């Protein structure tokens, strides 16, 4: 019995070590391009680090049991009549409850607080979604772009997006910013994003795109616009050209 | 087939009468005579009534209300399965046939989707057609996942397991079954009316402004809901009132507990999907504005009501499969089910908590910061779910594991559902959900939870109980080939979808960014292999059913009651009423018995 626990425990430790090494080092997402992306990426990695030992615990227990306890004879033989164990069940309850409550606070509540921390913005962009295009308005500059093929933003400026819809529900999503919110008819939703990486002009990062993420009919998949993050001066020059 | 033809005839008469009545009313009101969607809706109510009466409710049930003699039932033969039969074993197999048909059809839709998704651009089908296929795949599989295990094995096995001769309300049971063939019929008919493109979630306002096919989805899902509610009442009453003497709550097999939990969820939650689809239908056909901001409505209301059913429904899909798994794991580990009471608490805890988490599907709708509360309840639900894992692991530990095909599928559920559970944490935590919501991460996650519990659970159940309902045995060698085929290709299909989600692929799209093409090609090829494994499974089971070797009545040497009678069981299940004297899973306990089944000729006492 002790021997089985030892071997299964060893298997768990080895699997966990491999898993944690991967969780620490893996690049889970394509490159982030906004300050908010860091919060999401960190939250993701933390959950991976916490989830790995849970996954490997069940996996090790299961794989070891199949290897060590499989019946070797054709005749049917019963195992030991263990109905339960007070220690094991209560330990399980305490540990799983502790983990569930821990991840509620961190990264859950902590990440939400970080995302909601700053209600100030340097720039307002109004987004109106409709089947199947984006209308972008920069109200401080009196610039409106119908059927936008690109969303141009200045780097390192906190942008307040005011998002609504003219018909059905859409969703405003920029994968590289890790931010998403639904565009609802009759309601204006707000999203704060601080782009912090200039877009390379030579290549289009496919995740630096506005993508509709809520099913909205035939044109849903292609309801996208390229995002271009530029220096403030270039941004102002671009505005002036509109 | 005669009852079915009669049902169709009465349905046509009812539909025509209903639509005609509406035309008269419109004439009286001075409105235009014909409006398609109201005509279909009103016609359907009368057509549905006609169908049920024609297929058997009139002949075998309603005639008595009018003082007429009831018709006699078909006693034997294949025609029982095509008629209004009251035997829970017949009804169980009827359910299995309808929902296995839906499973295979839904699988074909998935194959068509993966065909289109092999390459990034527009390949084989118009995006509008893709959306229809995707919507059909979704609702077909939801219907399967809601009903296949509880409908077929709940019906077939639960009365046997509790030592009853049938369900508490056999006629209600037949009624709940005969509602179900209309579900695939309506859904497929939608294609003649332009299909519908709003997915299985059918969010308003899209679902109140799109083509008439949408109405068929509404009617189909409402019909399925009616069937679920009627079935749930029956299961609860059966377990409450028909248990054999001595079958106390603490001696109930765990599969029965999982069905109790599922029935509670179905009974309490299904009303909400009925209501929300009724409101959406009224918005379509009667100009109401429940979800339309221009008329004072609110589109988020739809989602609240929808998920108030559809999140509990996730557990309607998961719990019966987990019940099968714990059942199989105990019998094939030859040990008592570890921490039985904790497993029961797990099922009931999930049932209670699942009513408190619905808005976690709506973290990106812009609702006020109540997200924290729903994040909390969602994290909590992992605790009772953990009890199921505790029970499974504790049972196999130090067991004498017999790795027959049902056991292999049972163990596979533990692995796959674990992946589903852990990846769900990322969706429960708001900061990560903001990014992952509506991406392929979600697609991968819910296939890992629902396919692993309900479909792997179904396959385990079919292998495990096949000797019971056919009296024949499958080929263990082919079963193991099937297991590895399905288990490996399931994982090679759905694991890469997590990567796709992380790398910016959103769901419900026929076209996607080109850099994601290679992984999608891999996923498609593996999906085809996974699809083929179901064809292999059908052949394997058909072979066993028709000409497999005769099975002894209790081939697994299992202790529970369904194995203590002939295979297949006689009409009244047991020769005489069984007596339960001990726990169901006390393997290894000297001189212990779960139940005594007196032989038919053991005296007249």
């Amino acid at each position: 019995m002790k021997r089985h626990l030892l071997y299964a425990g060893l298997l768990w430790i080895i699997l966990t070590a491999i898993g944690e090494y991967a969780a620490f080092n893996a690049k889970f997402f394509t490159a982030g391009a906004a300050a908010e992306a860091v919060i999401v990426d960190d939250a993701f990695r933390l959950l991976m680090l916490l989830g790995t030992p849970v996954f490997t615990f069940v996996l090790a227990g299961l794989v070891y049991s199949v290897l060590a306890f499989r019946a070797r004879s054709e005749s049917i033989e019963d195992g030991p009549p263990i109905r339960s164990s007070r220690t094991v069940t209560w330990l399980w309850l305490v540990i799983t409850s502790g983990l569930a409550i821990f991840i509620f606070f961190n990264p859950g509540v902590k990440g939400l607080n970080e995302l909601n921390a700053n209600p100030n913005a340097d720039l307002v962009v109004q987004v109106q979604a409709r089947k199947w295009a984006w209308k972008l308005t920069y109200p401080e500059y009196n610039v409106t772009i119908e059927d936008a093929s690109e969303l141009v933003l200045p780097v390192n400026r906190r942008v307040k997006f005011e998002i609504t819809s003219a018909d059905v529900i859409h969703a405003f999503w920029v994968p590289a910013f890790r931010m998403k919110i639904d565009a609802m008819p009759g309601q204006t939703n707000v999203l704060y994003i601080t782009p912090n990486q200039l877009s390379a002009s030579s290549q289009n990062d496919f995740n630096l795109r506005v993508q509709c993420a809520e099913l909205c009919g035939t044109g849903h998949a292609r309801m996208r616009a390229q995002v271009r993050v530029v220096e403030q001066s270039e941004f102002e020059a671009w505005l002036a050209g509109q | 087939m005669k009852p079915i033809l009669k049902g169709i005839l009465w349905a046509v008469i009812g539909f025509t009468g209903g639509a005609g009545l509406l035309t008269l009313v419109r004439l009286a009101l001075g409105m235009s005579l014909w409006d398609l969607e109201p005509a279909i809706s009103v016609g359907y109510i009368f057509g549905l009534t006609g169908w049920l009466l024609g297929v058997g409710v009139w002949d075998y049930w309603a005639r008595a209300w009018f003082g007429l003699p009831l018709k006699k039932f078909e006693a034997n033969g294949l025609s029982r399965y095509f008629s209004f039969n009251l035997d829970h074993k017949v009804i169980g197999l009827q359910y299995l046939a309808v929902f296995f048909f839906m499973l295979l059809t839904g699988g074909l839709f998935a194959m068509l989707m993966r065909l289109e998704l092999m390459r990034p651009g527009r390949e084989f089908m118009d995006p509008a057609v893709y959306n229809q296929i995707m919507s059909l795949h979704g609702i077909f599989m939801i219907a399967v996942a809601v009903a296949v295990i509880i409908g077929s094995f709940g019906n077939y096995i639960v009365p046997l397991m509790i030592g009853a001769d049938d369900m508490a309300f056999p006629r209600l049971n037949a009624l709940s079954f005969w509602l179900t063939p209309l579900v695939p019929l309506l859904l497929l008919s939608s294609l003649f009316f332009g299909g519908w493109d709003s997915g299985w979630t059918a969010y308003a306002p899209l679902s109140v402004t799109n083509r008439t096919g949408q109405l068929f989805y509404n009617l189909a899902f409402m019909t399925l809901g009616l069937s679920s509610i009627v079935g749930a009442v029956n299961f609860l009453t059966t377990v409450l009132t028909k248990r054999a003497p001595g079958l106390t709550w603490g001696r109930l097999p765990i599969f029965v507990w999982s069905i109790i939990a599922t029935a509670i969820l179905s009974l309490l939650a299904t009303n909400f999907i009925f209501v929300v689809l009724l409101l959406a239908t009224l918005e379509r056909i009667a100009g109401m504005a429940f979800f339309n901001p221009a008329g004072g409505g609110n589109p988020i209301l739809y989602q609240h009501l929808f998920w108030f059913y559809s999140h509990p429904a996730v557990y309607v899909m998961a719990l019966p499969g987990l019940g099968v798994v714990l059942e199989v794991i105990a019998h094939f580990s030859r040990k008592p089910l570890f921490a039985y009471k904790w497993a029961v608490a797990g099922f009931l805890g999930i049932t209670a908590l699942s009513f408190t988490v619905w808005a976690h599907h709506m973290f990106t709708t812009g609702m006020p910061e109540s997200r924290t509360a729903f994040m909390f309840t969602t994290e909590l639900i992992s605790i009772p779910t953990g009890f199921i894992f505790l029970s499974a692991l504790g049972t196999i530990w130090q067991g004498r594991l017999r790795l027959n095909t049902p056991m292999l599928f049972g163990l596979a559920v533990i692995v796959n559902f674990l992946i589903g559970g852990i990846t769900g944490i990322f969706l429960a935590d708001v900061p990560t959900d903001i990014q992952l919501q509506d991406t392929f991460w979600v697609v991968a996650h819910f296939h890992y939870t629902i396919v692993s519990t309900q479909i792997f659970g179904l396959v385990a159940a079919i292998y495990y109980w096949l000797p019971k309902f056919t009296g024949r045995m499958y080929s263990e060698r082919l079963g193991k080939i099937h297991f590895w085929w399905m288990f490996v290709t399931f994982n090679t299909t759905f694991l890469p979808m997590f990567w796709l989600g992380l790398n910016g692929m959103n769901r419900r799209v026929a076209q996607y960014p080109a850099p994601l093409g290679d992984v999608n090609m891999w996923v498609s090829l593996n999906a085809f292999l996974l699809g083929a494994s179901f064809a292999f499974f059908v052949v394997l089971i058909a072979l066993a059913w028709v000409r497999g070797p005769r099975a002894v009545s209790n081939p697994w040497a299992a202790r529970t009651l369904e194995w203590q009678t002939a295979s297949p069981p006689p009409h009244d299940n047991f020769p005489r009423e069984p007596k339960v004297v001990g726990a169901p899973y006390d393997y290894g306990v000297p001189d212990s018995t779960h139940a005594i089944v007196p032989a038919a000729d053991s005296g007249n006492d």
Side-chain angles (χ1 to χ4, degrees):
Chain A
M1 176 62 193
K2 282 234 173 76
R3 184 173 54 95
H4 288 310
L5 278 177
L6 181 72
Y7 288 156
L10 271 178
L11 181 61
W12 177 41
I13 290 168
I14 292 166
L15 290 175
T16 306
I18 298 169
E20 295 292 18
Y21 179 81
F24 262 114
N25 293 294
K27 264 189 65 193
F28 292 110
F29 295 97
T30 54
E36 291 74 14
V38 180
I39 299 167
V40 173
D41 291 7
D42 287 351
F44 188 90
R45 194 175 302 277
L46 178 59
L47 288 177
M48 271 288 177
L49 293 171
L50 293 170
T52 297
V54 178
F55 178 68
T56 53
F57 181 84
V58 178
L59 195 66
L62 192 134
V63 168
Y64 185 81
S65 297
V66 168
L67 295 176
F69 303 129
R70 63 184 301 173
R72 294 203 159 64
S73 64
E74 277 299 304
S75 63
I76 297 172
E77 189 192 332
D78 288 351
I82 308 162
R83 287 205 183 88
S84 190
S85 149
R86 189 173 294 178
T87 322
V88 173
T89 50
W90 281 95
L91 207 61
W92 184 280
L93 175 65
V94 169
I95 292 172
T96 54
S97 307
L99 270 174
I101 290 167
F102 181 85
I103 56 171
F104 164 70
F105 284 108
N106 185 14
V109 174
K110 177 169 168 277
L112 253 182
N113 280 338
E114 287 168 2
L115 291 173
N116 291 339
N118 182 357
N120 304 311
D122 306 317
L123 173 71
V124 175
V125 178
Q126 291 168 339
V127 179
Q128 192 197 55
R130 65 173 172 80
K131 290 186 204 170
W132 292 281
W134 305 98
K135 178 169 130 186
L136 303 173
T137 306
Y138 298 78
E140 295 139 322
Y141 299 90
N142 285 322
V143 168
T144 296
I145 303 159
E146 302 277 349
D147 292 359
S149 63
E150 64 172 3
L151 163 65
V152 182
L153 297 171
V155 73
N156 294 328
R157 294 285 186 278
R158 193 169 165 84
V159 186
K160 180 188 188 190
F161 288 95
E162 296 173 353
I163 297 161
T164 189
S165 166
D167 41 42
V168 301
I169 302 172
H170 303 269
F172 176 89
W173 179 41
V174 181
F177 292 163
R178 315 280 191 264
M179 283 289 117
K180 174 191 296 130
I181 202 155
D182 288 356
M184 292 287 212
Q187 174 180 329
T188 300
N189 285 335
V190 173
L191 198 59
Y192 292 93
I193 297 176
T194 317
N196 63 1
Q197 303 286 323
L198 288 170
S199 323
S201 54
S202 56
Q203 65 183 63
N204 285 346
D205 177 354
F206 71 93
N207 278 333
L208 209 48
R209 71 183 196 277
V210 181
Q211 168 74 56
C212 179
E214 186 67 63
L215 181 62
C216 57
T218 309
H220 168 57
R222 296 193 56 82
M223 187 169 158
R224 13 170 137 131
Q226 193 65 32
V227 174
R228 193 152 64 86
V229 182
V230 297
E231 294 287 2
Q232 179 72 23
S233 55
E234 195 181 341
F235 175 66
E236 280 162 12
W238 173 83
L239 279 173
Q242 297 301 311
Chain B
M1 294 301 277
K2 222 179 99 194
I4 295 178
L5 293 176
K6 189 169 166 189
I8 294 171
L9 180 68
W10 287 34
V12 171
I13 295 170
F15 186 92
T16 317
L21 187 67
L22 180 75
T23 309
L24 283 181
V25 172
R26 294 180 73 93
L27 182 70
L29 289 172
M31 299 162 77
S32 68
L33 280 190
W34 184 250
D35 191 354
L36 181 63
E37 294 202 12
I40 292 173
S41 307
V42 175
Y44 181 70
I45 297 170
F46 288 85
L48 175 68
T49 313
W51 159 255
L52 290 174
L53 287 171
V55 83
V57 170
W58 174 252
D59 281 349
Y60 304 112
W61 194 353
R63 284 170 67 96
W65 309 341
F66 300 94
L68 300 167
L70 291 180
K71 291 272 171 70
K72 279 207 166 47
F73 287 100
E74 294 273 357
N76 288 305
L78 217 56
S79 60
R80 280 181 301 166
Y81 294 94
F82 297 95
S83 70
F84 194 84
N85 195 287
L86 306 191
D87 185 345
H88 70 100
K89 299 182 287 296
V90 172
I91 294 173
L93 292 178
Q94 288 173 324
Y95 262 105
L96 188 62
V98 166
F99 286 96
F100 210 86
F101 163 77
M102 286 192 81
L103 174 67
L104 296 178
T105 317
L108 280 180
F109 294 136
M111 298 298 100
L112 290 175
M113 290 165 71
R114 287 317 313 181
L115 203 62
E116 174 62 31
L117 292 175
M118 285 170 87
R119 290 170 175 282
R122 180 177 161 170
E123 307 299 327
F124 301 99
M125 56 179 95
D126 188 85
V129 175
Y130 179 88
N131 282 347
Q132 292 170 19
I133 302 281
M134 176 273 295
S135 302
L136 277 168
H137 167 71
I139 193 60
F140 263 68
M141 291 312 202
I142 291 291
V144 170
V146 162
V148 67
I149 291 183
I150 189 170
S152 51
F153 292 99
N155 258 309
Y156 200 109
I157 299 298
V158 165
L160 286 165
M161 270 186 163
I162 64 172
D165 57 348
D166 205 320
M167 296 283 280
F169 305 118
R171 283 182 172 78
L172 216 51
N173 201 19
L175 175 76
S176 79
F177 165 72
W178 283 104
L179 284 165
T180 62
L182 298 171
V183 177
L185 193 73
L186 281 167
L187 292 171
L188 292 174
S189 308
S190 77
L191 290 172
F192 298 110
F193 294 86
W196 85 99
D197 58 357
S198 57
W200 84 272
T201 48
Y203 280 2
L206 181 60
S207 65
V208 294
T209 53
N210 56 359
R211 301 167 90 170
T212 300
Q214 182 72 55
L215 183 64
F216 286 78
Y217 159 93
N218 293 2
L219 296 174
F221 209 163
M222 285 157 88
T223 308
L224 181 68
L226 276 179
S227 169
S228 290
I229 293 172
V230 172
V233 171
N234 209 351
F235 280 115
L236 288 175
T237 315
T238 302
V239 179
L240 279 171
T241 61
K242 306 245 334 167
R243 280 168 293 136
L247 187 51
T248 56
W249 294 106
R251 289 171 176 171
L252 218 49
I254 199 71
F255 177 64
V256 179
W257 274 113
S258 76
I259 295 296
I260 292 174
T262 307
I264 293 173
L265 285 171
S266 294
L267 184 63
L268 298 183
T270 312
N271 309 287
F272 288 84
I273 193 71
F274 194 93
V275 165
V276 72
L277 293 176
L278 186 63
L279 298 187
T281 305
L282 288 176
E283 190 158 334
R284 287 187 78 92
I285 66 172
M288 307 280 199
F290 304 106
F291 312 122
N292 179 1
N298 186 343
I300 296 192
L301 177 63
Y302 178 93
Q303 297 183 27
H304 280 293
L305 290 169
F306 180 87
W307 289 112
F308 200 84
Y309 161 74
S310 294
H311 197 82
V314 169
Y315 293 99
V316 169
M317 303 174 206
L319 298 187
L322 294 174
V324 170
V325 169
L326 290 186
E327 190 73 34
V328 163
I329 283 181
H331 296 305
F332 286 83
S333 298
R334 309 298 300 176
K335 266 183 66 200
L337 183 71
F338 185 77
Y340 169 91
K341 285 182 180 164
W342 289 72
V344 172
F347 283 119
L348 297 180
I350 290 172
T351 302
L353 275 175
S354 73
F355 285 101
T356 66
V357 302
W358 76 92
H360 70 213
H361 295 270
M362 302 159 59
F363 282 162
T364 62
T365 54
M367 62 180 190
E369 253 346 338
S370 53
R371 291 191 289 189
T372 319
F374 290 103
M375 174 164 65
F376 184 69
T377 52
T378 309
E379 310 284 20
L380 283 193
I381 213 164
S382 64
I383 299 168
T385 312
F387 297 169
I388 312 279
F389 285 98
L390 167 71
S391 180
L393 269 189
T395 306
I396 57 174
W397 185 255
Q398 288 194 295
R400 301 287 181 273
L401 309 190
R402 301 172 68 211
L403 298 177
N404 297 80
T405 311
M407 178 65 159
L408 290 176
F409 275 97
L411 296 174
V413 173
I414 299 299
V415 176
N416 289 341
F417 187 56
L418 178 66
I419 296 175
I422 289 180
T423 53
I425 299 286
F426 295 80
L427 300 170
D429 246 50
V430 179
T432 37
D433 181 68
I434 291 173
Q435 170 71 357
L436 298 173
Q437 156 81 352
D438 273 322
T439 67
F440 259 61
W441 180 280
V442 178
V443 177
H445 158 72
F446 69 69
H447 282 88
Y448 263 100
T449 51
I450 305 301
V451 179
S452 72
T453 51
Q454 185 75 207
I455 305 303
F456 277 71
L458 170 71
V459 172
I462 289 177
Y463 279 114
Y464 179 56
W465 281 307
L466 184 82
K468 180 44 58 186
F469 58 78
T470 65
R472 291 174 189 271
M473 195 46 116
Y474 61 90
S475 153
E476 197 64 69
R477 195 170 56 91
L478 294 182
K480 282 184 176 143
I481 293 173
H482 171 232
F483 167 74
W484 286 109
W485 186 349
M486 184 167 153
F487 178 64
V488 170
T489 54
F490 173 78
N491 280 286
T492 51
T493 302
F494 288 101
L495 263 185
M497 287 191 189
F498 289 115
W499 184 92
L500 285 172
L502 292 176
N503 282 274
M505 179 148 171
N506 51 315
R507 60 188 287 213
R508 296 169 156 175
V509 289
Q511 295 155 58
Y512 53 85
L516 303 174
D518 290 345
V519 175
N520 269 299
M521 175 63 87
W522 165 270
V523 169
S524 285
L525 295 176
N526 282 280
F528 300 146
L529 290 175
L530 176 60
S533 78
F534 281 88
F536 183 72
F537 177 55
V538 170
V539 172
L540 185 164
I541 292 299
L543 276 179
W545 203 319
V546 178
R547 54 164 121 166
R550 294 271 169 206
V552 293
S553 66
N554 188 0
W556 314 118
R559 292 168 52 101
T560 41
L561 259 168
E562 82 273 24
W563 295 108
Q564 316 309 324
T565 184
S567 298
H571 184 273
D572 294 325
N573 293 345
F574 298 96
R576 292 172 62 209
E577 188 176 52
K579 281 192 183 61
V580 176
V581 293
Y585 307 111
D586 272 355
Y587 293 106
V589 179
D591 304 323
S592 78
T593 324
H594 173 50
I596 300 161
V597 181
D601 52 1
S602 68
N604 298 320
D605 55 332

